[in-house]
Amino acid sequence: MGEPNSHVLFFPYPLQGHINPMIQLGKRLSKKGLTVSLIIASNIHREPYTSEDYSITVHTINDGFFPHEHPHAKIKDPPRFNESTARSLADFISRQKLTGNPPKALIYDPFMPFALDVAKDLGLCVVAYFTQPWLASLIYYHINEGTYDVPDDRHEDPILASFPGFPLLSQNDLPSFACEKGSYPLIFKVVVSQFSNLRRADCILCNTFDQLEPKVRLYNLNGDH
């Protein structure tokens, strides 16, 4: 993946807070001589274009929704988004593999775990990039593993939560999805399902802030550090 002119695909979840970190990483790889394509799942088709400030070509693929539907409709209907976008992504990668510079890797947002399976089945190296702070992602990981139970409701005296490598956190310190069971069911399912097939990834990257998370010890999926 690191050879000059190697083609790398980036596939962020289509919200600005997830797209921006992908673009920043793409810019760095582009400066190293790699060919970078950014794939956006959208209900509006646009012709591919290459940014003027950095050599990243932006492509849109169909997310299964109509142009008149609100962009947030995909959050309310995850099965429709996942199934349609998975097909579109598979078609896009298949077409790209027939070009003069076929992609060698996909860097994807784990908010869309189907992307890992699609790219793996098509023979690409696959990298998971957690664009949210690693502290939040690790909490979601423990929820998925069953090593942390989301409280049924908010307590007047917030309970304490303990995670490996963390200081003790109060209930109010946790991400909103981890504070009260059933508070945001659709989004909760998205953030927890990030880990459903993560062991198939060839590499895992995380977004972090070294000045805010100096004592966090990053554990891999086997519990080692």
Side-chain angles (χ1 to χ4, degrees), residues 163-184:
F163 302 93
F166 280 52
L168 284 175
L169 300 175
S170 76
Q171 187 179 6
N172 291 333
D173 293 326
L174 303 178
S176 56
F177 316 115
C179 287
E180 183 178 352
K181 189 173 294 183
S183 54
Y184 301 93

Side-chain angles (χ1 to χ4, degrees), residues 127-146:
V127 177
Y129 180 24
F130 288 86
T131 57
Q132 291 188 314
W134 188 239
L135 289 175
S137 297
L138 194 56
I139 290 172
Y140 302 144
Y141 167 75
H142 282 286
I143 294 174
N144 181 69
E145 292 294 298

Side-chain angles (χ1 to χ4, degrees), residues 1 5-10 34-39 59 89-107 119 122-126:
M1 189 176 80
N5 204 39
S6 291
H7 189 183
V8 181
L9 307 177
F10 280 75
L34 276 70
T35 299
V36 176
S37 294
L38 182 71
I39 310 166
H59 303 262
L89 179 63
D91 291 343
F92 177 83
I93 294 175
S94 296
R95 292 195 305 271
Q96 289 293 309
K97 290 183 70 174
L98 299 176
T99 64
N101 187 12
K104 293 186 176 181
L106 175 77
I107 300 178
L122 290 171
L124 269 60
C125 174
V126 185

Side-chain angles (χ1 to χ4, degrees), residues 4 30 35 55-56 70 76 83-84 120 149 153 198 201 210:
S30 176
T35 299
S55 299
I56 296 178
H70 194 280
K76 298 180 180 179
E83 292 169 11
S84 298
K120 271 287 186 181
D149 291 323
D153 51 37
L198 192 59
D210 58 353

Side-chain angles (χ1 to χ4, degrees), residues 11-13 18 22 107-113 115 127 129 131 194:
F11 189 41
Y13 191 77
H18 292 253
M22 287 272 188
I107 300 178
Y108 81 102
D109 191 322
F111 266 44
M112 301 176 293
V127 177
Y129 180 24
T131 57
Q194 297 178 89

